[in-house]
Amino acid sequence: MNSVPSDAPPAAPRKNIVRQATRRIAAALVVFVVVISGFTAWNQLRAQDEALAAEMELTVHFYQQRMTALERDWEVRAIQFKARVEYGRILENPKIRWSELNSLITSLDDTGDFQHILAACQKGEVLFRHKGGLPALRDVVALNAPIGWYFDEATGLLYRYYVQPVWLGGEEGMGRLILFKAMDNALLLNNALPQTELLLTWSGRVAASSLGGGMGPPPAKGNDLVIHGVRYRRGGATWGDAATGAVPELVILHQAESFAFSLREMGVAWIGAFTALALAMYLFLGSWLLSISRRVTLLGRVATEFAEGLRFTPAIRLDLEEIHRPGGDEITAVAGALGSLTGAVIQREAQRQASQAQLMESESLFRTTFEAAAHGMALASPQGRLLRVNAALCDMLGYAELELLNLDFASLTHPDDLAQDLDLAGRLLAGEIVAYQLEKRYLHRDGGEVWCALSVSLVRDEAGRPVHLVKQIQDVTERRRLERELLRIMEELQRSNEELERFAYVASHDLKEPLRKIISFGNLLEEDYADLLEGEGRDYLERMKNAALRMQRLIDDLLNYSRVSTRAQPFVPLALDQVMQEALIMVDDRLRASGGTVSVSPLPQIHADPTQMGQLFQNLLSNGLKFHTIERPPRVTVSVRPLPPDRVEILFSDNGIGFDEKYLDKIFQPFERLHGRESYEGTGMGLAICQRIVHRHGGTLTARSRPGEGAQFVVTLPLVPPRAREIAAAEESDHGRA
């Protein structure tokens, strides 16, 4: 079988052909194998890391649920033990109560989970210790929380304790039963999953470990770590609510497979190996090609039979024994052919196993997500019959799972909402839409209505036929109630604004008319009867006129304060430089009278109410010019500082008398004054109006000052209008303060 066919060509031409074929085969094989091998190794490492990360996430979620279940079970057992003590009236006889309690603990199997049980009076004195109690615990005064953590420094053990109030009788009155659950190595070992180790840490120390060992520092933090030569992926979750105080951390170590070589080392090894192989093929392949004979036919038959059956038959085994017989370089080529056949079998089997594992993981993930979803979820047939529901939907509608599965969505839907839902479902099944959402009412088992936000999508098979509907249902009953309540409040606010507008009308006409008459008659009295009035009479007349003028200014300021929201104008693009120039014209008389100066930096353009911006600038300028000392004339500086991305800060600085910042909130309140009218005129409404204008524009107004060192008022405004609900909230707050 090793003989060369009799019709073989002459030796010389065959040697030349062999050399060319050898060079090409060697080069192609080296390039192909190196590229494929390197990519395969890299892809395996990447896939392993991604799978490990996903598996770690599922493991952490599992242990979070497991911790919650253990907590619930221990708390129930503590309550049951207290109930047995009280029901059995164990503690009524002071002489024998502790022996009776000890006998009860010994006889009950369900207290085996609690390593220590203590009884204490209200003062914290320990009256009873089962199993000797905790050596390091001298009193229990600090253990007032119903559930908490206690770390025994003497033994290095962490305990979960449960406090149950109980009647001790006699002079003690009410007392406490305290049950301690040890968080020891055995607990973690019993709850550890395969290829998973657990560590419970407290204050930077390991309190318990499924690996065994005593207290010590926890392993260094990191994504991956190696312990005792084994590579682990690290995860963790806090045991309990961290907001209630110090809680331990459950460190989860999931064993991870590791490669013996890195990608770089593997690549270098492959390149070296196949470079040597290429050199060997180039040097020695010639003699191997010269001996190609009829065994090529045998090799082809083996390959064909193996590819068709994908199994080793007795005939294939006999052929392989003959092919691997020593006697020439054909074995290298045969090994390559067999490698291809074996690779096909391995690849197909690997694909089958991977597909099966992926399917199982996908089903497990779907089942976990479906059951643990906080909102209601259901799978329904295209006809509307319920195929599967989760616990959240059962709780939402008040049905048991089997009861819901015997119903369909049409019978659960409010009659007034059924037509719209059926129309959208029909369009979804017809392929007109890919999904739909709507808010509808479901019928609760007790006959009530449940408002829900429904999202529906459709799953189709490979042929495009509908398989089932996926429905997500969120209870929005409370949100709908709040929306109705908000609408009612908005209507009341609208009525309040209308009443305020009517009040402003009355104030501007009915209240101001008597004041005008008082002022007019005072002027007539002064003009016509001035000679008849003595010094005291003139003083009374002047006081009357001044009081009437102050009252008139007060009414005008009240009207301006109320009209910030009741007669507001829409926001428009507004050049603040122009507004500032108009404000300077309005305060020109005061500026000249005081001998003061105002310097203004270039101002930006914003969206605002022109009238209110003018009133804001005029009030702040007047404020800086008014409150100054006699020794130095007032000086007001207006500067600008941009606040990225979309706000601006305008600063009004003066050299006036200043104020103590402890009165900062007071100066922005209506009618509040820091100085008497004898010193400085005004009604105390100017800064209150300014703050209300700034709040309506979605900004803030504050001040910085020291007595005798001047003041700086800081106005922060957005460059574009704020959202409508923010404006409404600010105006509602201002109405409440007014």
Side-chain angles (χ1 to χ4, degrees):
M1 297 179 65
N2 293 327
S3 60
V4 179
S6 57
D7 56 348
R14 179 166 48 192
K15 183 177 181 180
N16 186 40
I17 294 174
V18 169
R19 185 178 296 112
Q20 295 181 18
T22 302
R23 285 197 298 265
R24 295 184 182 184
I25 292 174
L29 185 60
V30 168
V31 173
F32 175 80
V33 173
V34 168
V35 172
I36 294 300
S37 300
F39 176 80
T40 302
W42 175 83
N43 194 51
Q44 287 177 346
L45 283 176
R46 182 180 59 83
Q48 181 193 34
D49 189 72
E50 292 177 352
L52 183 58
E55 188 174 358
M56 190 66 209
E57 183 177 354
L58 292 175
T59 303
V60 170
H61 179 69
F62 167 79
Y63 279 112
Q64 288 175 336
Q65 293 182 328
R66 182 59 180 163
M67 287 187 290
T68 302
L70 289 174
E71 286 276 4
R72 189 182 301 114
D73 180 63
W74 295 337
E75 185 174 0
V76 169
R77 291 183 180 226
I79 295 173
Q80 290 175 345
F81 178 72
K82 171 199 170 181
R84 285 195 174 99
V85 171
E86 291 183 339
Y87 181 80
R89 312 177 87 175
I90 300 298
L91 304 178
E92 289 188 358
N93 190 340
K95 295 181 179 181
I96 62 172
R97 55 184 175 182
W98 305 129
S99 60
E100 289 291 328
L101 181 59
N102 191 67
S103 299
L104 174 64
I105 295 173
T106 305
S107 63
L108 294 178
D109 293 333
D110 57 349
T111 63
D113 284 335
F114 296 102
Q115 282 67 24
H116 301 285
I117 300 177
L118 278 67
C121 64
Q122 286 287 40
K123 297 179 180 179
E125 180 183 356
V126 177
L127 304 176
F128 169 80
R129 297 173 182 261
H130 178 63
K131 294 185 180 179
L134 298 173
L137 185 62
R138 294 295 177 259
D139 57 63
V140 292
V141 175
L143 306 182
N144 287 324
I147 302 175
W149 296 96
Y150 174 73
F151 184 73
D152 189 355
E153 296 285 352
T155 62
L157 283 178
L158 179 66
Y159 293 89
R160 188 63 158 161
Y161 69 83
Y162 297 84
V163 178
Q164 297 293 327
V166 68
W167 178 258
L168 298 178
E171 298 179 356
E172 290 85 356
M174 286 301 297
R176 293 174 287 168
L177 286 176
I178 308 175
L179 300 90
F180 290 84
K181 171 63 184 178
M183 315 300 288
D184 53 12
N185 296 347
L187 174 67
L188 299 187
L189 184 61
N190 292 335
N191 286 275
L193 294 174
Q195 295 185 332
T196 301
E197 302 297 344
L198 303 177
L199 285 78
L200 191 64
T201 65
W202 177 266
S203 299
R205 292 176 291 183
V206 176
S209 170
S210 62
L211 292 168
M215 181 177 62
K221 290 188 177 182
N223 197 35
D224 293 325
L225 63 156
V226 177
I227 300 177
H228 302 313
V230 180
R231 178 176 168 231
Y232 292 93
R233 173 63 56 91
R234 174 181 176 140
T238 56
W239 192 309
D241 186 3
T244 61
V247 295
E249 179 186 10
L250 183 67
V251 179
I252 304 169
L253 303 178
H254 190 71
Q255 185 174 342
E257 297 180 0
S258 60
F259 288 105
F261 303 99
S262 65
L263 286 175
R264 180 187 180 95
E265 294 170 340
M266 186 176 293
V268 172
W270 276 111
I271 292 174
F274 282 96
T275 301
L277 176 61
L279 182 60
M281 291 176 63
Y282 182 79
L283 294 175
F284 304 108
L285 192 59
S287 59
W288 175 80
L289 289 175
L290 291 176
S291 61
I292 292 178
S293 62
R294 67 178 187 85
R295 291 202 292 178
V296 173
T297 304
L298 182 61
L299 180 60
R301 187 176 69 183
V302 170
T304 301
E305 293 179 358
F306 186 82
E308 291 176 353
L310 292 178
R311 59 190 183 91
F312 290 96
T313 62
I316 292 177
R317 184 176 294 108
L318 292 175
D319 290 340
L320 289 177
E321 290 176 357
E322 184 175 356
I323 291 173
H324 284 282
R325 184 188 69 229
D329 292 338
E330 295 93 336
I331 295 178
T332 303
V334 172
L338 292 179
S340 300
L341 296 175
T342 306
V345 174
I346 294 174
Q347 183 179 8
R348 178 173 296 185
E349 181 64 18
Q351 289 176 349
R352 186 189 66 80
Q353 294 179 0
S355 299
Q356 184 177 4
Q358 185 177 6
L359 178 61
M360 294 177 62
E361 180 181 357
S362 176
E363 290 178 351
S364 174
L365 180 60
F366 170 77
R367 182 167 56 254
T368 302
T369 304
F370 187 88
E371 295 297 336
H375 302 311
M377 294 190 67
L379 300 180
S381 67
Q383 294 76 32
R385 185 173 59 86
L386 292 174
L387 305 176
R388 188 170 183 175
V389 295
N390 68 348
L393 183 59
C394 296
D395 295 340
M396 188 187 306
L397 301 181
Y399 288 93
E401 182 178 356
L402 292 179
E403 291 177 322
L404 270 183
L405 293 178
N406 290 325
L407 301 174
D408 55 25
F409 266 95
S411 61
L412 293 171
T413 301
H414 192 282
D416 294 343
D417 301 334
L418 182 58
Q420 182 185 11
D421 197 0
L422 291 177
D423 177 65
L424 291 172
R427 295 174 59 193
L428 179 63
L429 293 171
E432 299 177 6
I433 55 177
V434 296
Y436 70 88
Q437 298 84 30
L438 80 156
E439 290 191 2
K440 55 179 285 189
R441 289 164 290 180
Y442 284 102
L443 300 177
H444 196 274
R445 194 176 189 274
D446 60 9
E449 297 178 0
V450 182
W451 274 100
C452 296
L454 173 66
S455 298
V456 184
S457 57
L458 178 62
V459 177
R460 299 179 181 272
D461 60 15
E462 296 180 355
R465 294 185 296 268
V467 178
H468 58 258
L469 300 167
V470 180
K471 302 197 174 190
Q472 303 179 49
I473 305 101
Q474 181 180 1
D475 189 347
V476 295
T477 305
E478 180 64 15
R479 193 202 73 196
R480 300 277 297 202
R481 185 191 68 78
L482 293 176
E483 288 176 349
R484 292 194 299 270
E485 180 67 15
L486 179 60
L487 180 60
R488 183 187 65 78
I489 293 174
M490 293 298 294
E491 292 174 351
E492 292 180 357
L493 182 60
Q494 180 65 27
R495 288 195 297 271
S496 175
N497 287 337
E498 293 173 356
E499 292 174 359
L500 182 61
E501 182 69 20
R502 287 194 295 271
F503 167 76
Y505 178 80
V506 172
S508 63
H509 292 81
D510 298 347
L511 295 181
K512 292 175 66 175
E513 180 62 25
L515 293 175
R516 285 194 293 268
K517 289 183 178 181
I518 291 173
I519 296 172
S520 298
F521 285 130
N523 292 333
L524 292 174
L525 186 62
E526 185 178 18
E527 293 175 0
D528 298 339
Y529 300 95
D531 298 337
L532 301 177
L533 296 175
E534 298 179 355
E536 187 175 3
R538 290 176 179 274
D539 181 60
Y540 289 160
L541 179 61
E542 189 66 26
R543 289 187 181 184
M544 180 187 71
K545 291 172 59 180
N546 290 337
L549 289 173
R550 286 198 305 271
M551 187 64 182
Q552 190 173 40
R553 287 196 298 270
L554 180 61
I555 292 174
D556 290 337
D557 287 343
L558 278 173
L559 290 175
N560 291 333
Y561 184 77
S562 65
R563 288 171 177 171
V564 170
S565 58
T566 58
R567 293 193 177 181
Q569 300 298 318
F571 291 164
V572 297
L574 183 63
L576 294 183
D577 282 324
Q578 181 179 354
V579 176
M580 180 59 71
Q581 293 302 319
E582 295 173 356
L584 288 172
I585 294 174
M586 299 301 294
V587 301
D588 185 65
D589 291 342
R590 184 184 294 273
L591 189 62
R592 293 177 182 274
S594 62
T597 59
V598 177
S599 60
V600 182
S601 300
L603 300 177
Q605 176 175 301
I606 67 172
H607 286 70
D609 183 330
T611 302
Q612 291 185 358
M613 281 294 106
Q615 188 174 11
L616 172 67
F617 286 0
Q618 180 181 343
N619 286 2
L620 292 177
L621 290 173
S622 298
N623 195 73
L625 295 172
K626 177 170 60 174
F627 294 100
H628 69 91
T629 61
I630 301 176
E631 293 77 11
R632 60 177 181 267
R635 184 178 69 254
V636 180
T637 302
V638 182
S639 57
V640 179
R641 186 166 68 93
L643 297 178
D646 57 358
R647 302 181 78 83
V648 64
E649 189 176 80
I650 306 174
L651 300 95
F652 290 77
S653 305
D654 62 62
N655 64 340
I657 61 175
F659 62 90
D660 194 330
E661 287 192 2
K662 68 181 181 181
Y663 301 115
L664 181 60
D665 293 336
K666 183 178 179 180
I667 64 175
F668 293 109
Q669 299 299 319
F671 308 114
E672 292 291 346
R673 298 170 54 90
L674 299 184
H675 307 280
R677 295 187 182 91
E678 299 80 8
S679 302
Y680 299 97
E681 63 177 2
T683 62
M685 291 293 297
L687 290 178
I689 294 173
C690 290
Q691 188 177 63
R692 195 166 191 186
I693 291 174
V694 172
H695 282 181
R696 179 179 176 257
H697 286 74
T700 60
L701 173 61
T702 187
R704 296 187 285 265
S705 179
R706 289 183 180 178
E709 298 182 8
Q712 184 181 68
F713 288 85
V714 182
V715 180
T716 304
L717 294 171
L719 297 177
V720 295
R723 295 190 298 271
R725 61 174 177 270
E726 294 176 348
I727 299 174
E731 292 179 353
E732 181 181 352
S733 176
D734 287 338
H735 282 310
R737 288 196 295 269

